[in-house]
Amino acid sequence: MRAAGDTLGFVATMGALHEGHVSLVRLAKQNTTRCIASLFVNPKQFAAHEDLSAYPRDEAGDVAKLEAAGCDLVFAPKPNEMYADDFATAISVGGVSNDLEGLSRPHFFGGVATVVAKLFLQVQPDMAVFGEKDYQQLLVIRKLVRDMAFPITIIPGPTIREMDGLAMSSRNAYLSAPERATASAMPRALRTAISALEHRAPIKATLARVEADLTQAGFARVDYVALREAETLAPVAGDTLTGAARILAAALIGRTRLIDNMAVG
Ligand code: AMP
């Protein structure tokens, strides 16, 4: 493709694809002449107690969705092709990795950075699209690319949502019907908070209200509800909103952990 003068766009995924992933492929095709997608459930970003073996897999279905979206090539390596038995390298992005998701899942961003760095070198794309659904991950990848001078432009893809506002996620497949109904409280609570914050409601009380709303709706545990600077995820100074920010949350319904985030201001 490169020899033919094509520009290459890349979308990294763990498969079990939904409309969110497909939107990233379409975005890639708007910016480059070819799109490559990877399907790889990356063992390095799961802790021992997490859902690696249960993670949904449907390679044939995924390939069909990618083809329909205009993807030109699928890279679906086996775990031992990515990580030989004597694989010994780890990429660690500091700063933005060490908070929020990094506190709840200490192994996570190291695993993501290691696999994405390797995928970038294997695919050598001109451009890569990452979803805002995983907002902190998007910032970690941006930092990785800047720090290591990967010659790749990172483009953010907006979060694609279900009709009731729930952010699409491969993990939504774990939810029972009642849990799925509970899940819509997450985007609802975030939207309510955004409206309050944009009307100068106090930040601390507004975030506490989101946590209470989630608990009342039936979430089993709230890992965090946070308001952060949009570009750095640094804490927002002051008692009320003064500039552009991001609200981010992570909470469990039963044993399923959901994350979401939205722009504020
Ligand atoms: P995953 O397969 O969950 O690792 O996600 C692969 C890519 O798709 C990441 O860049 C995600 O941020 C992105 N993604 C996941 N869900 C969505 C969504 N609902 N809307 C947009 N992008 C998403």
Side-chain angles (χ1 to χ4, degrees):
M1 290 177 188
R2 194 177 290 288
D6 281 314
T7 51
L8 307 187
F10 177 52
V11 178
T13 83
M14 299 209 300
L17 301 184
H18 49 66
E19 199 47 43
H21 299 108
V22 167
S23 74
L24 304 187
V25 170
R26 292 208 195 92
L27 196 52
K29 287 290 281 215
Q30 284 167 21
N31 288 275
T32 52
T33 57
R34 298 282 192 177
C35 176
I36 298 167
S38 62
L39 299 175
F40 182 60
V41 183
N42 175 33
K44 287 203 185 294
Q45 68 192 68
F46 290 79
H49 66 277
E50 291 182 342
D51 56 342
L52 174 62
S53 58
Y55 199 83
R57 288 169 169 83
D58 176 20
E59 190 171 313
D62 291 342
V63 169
K65 285 178 196 161
L66 290 169
E67 198 169 4
C71 179
D72 298 282
L73 191 147
V74 177
F75 179 44
K78 299 279 170 282
N80 63 359
E81 292 177 86
M82 292 298 278
Y83 304 123
D85 287 343
D86 61 349
F87 188 93
T89 300
I91 309 277
S92 160
V93 178
V96 69
S97 288
N98 297 330
D99 202 0
L100 303 173
E101 284 301 288
L103 296 178
S104 302
R105 307 179 71 195
H107 54 280
F108 177 67
F109 287 122
V112 168
T114 301
V115 82
V116 168
K118 182 156 186 167
L119 289 166
F120 279 173
L121 292 166
Q122 291 168 314
V123 175
Q124 298 183 34
D126 300 288
M127 189 270 283
V129 189
F130 285 84
E132 289 181 345
K133 159 73 172 36
D134 302 280
Y135 191 79
Q136 190 178 5
Q137 172 175 281
L138 168 67
L139 297 190
V140 169
I141 301 297
R142 283 215 151 117
K143 192 83 185 78
L144 169 73
V145 162
R146 223 175 296 137
D147 285 356
M148 299 309 290
F150 278 100
I152 301 171
T153 304
I154 303 300
I155 296 198
T159 301
I160 305 299
R161 297 178 179 279
E162 304 285 359
M163 292 289 277
D164 64 351
L166 179 66
M168 290 190 183
S169 165
S170 307
R171 288 192 166 96
N172 293 350
Y174 297 145
L175 299 172
S176 66
E179 288 174 340
R180 174 63 188 80
T182 298
S184 64
M186 170 79 94
R188 212 166 41 241
L190 294 181
R191 290 213 163 101
T192 304
I194 289 168
S195 160
L197 292 166
E198 290 178 351
H199 288 87
R200 299 287 174 268
I203 293 171
K204 221 169 143 190
T206 306
L207 299 180
R209 172 75 197 277
V210 174
E211 198 162 329
D213 285 351
L214 293 178
T215 305
Q216 176 155 29
F219 279 78
R221 189 182 88 212
V222 179
D223 278 352
Y224 59 81
V225 179
L227 185 74
R228 295 301 175 84
E229 302 280 351
E231 294 305 314
T232 61
L233 291 189
V236 169
D239 296 334
T240 58
L241 190 69
T242 49
R246 203 90 194 171
I247 188 167
L248 305 99
L252 275 90
I253 302 183
R255 289 161 64 183
T256 305
R257 191 169 177 281
L258 300 182
I259 59 170
D260 201 352
N261 70 88
M262 295 179 190
V264 188

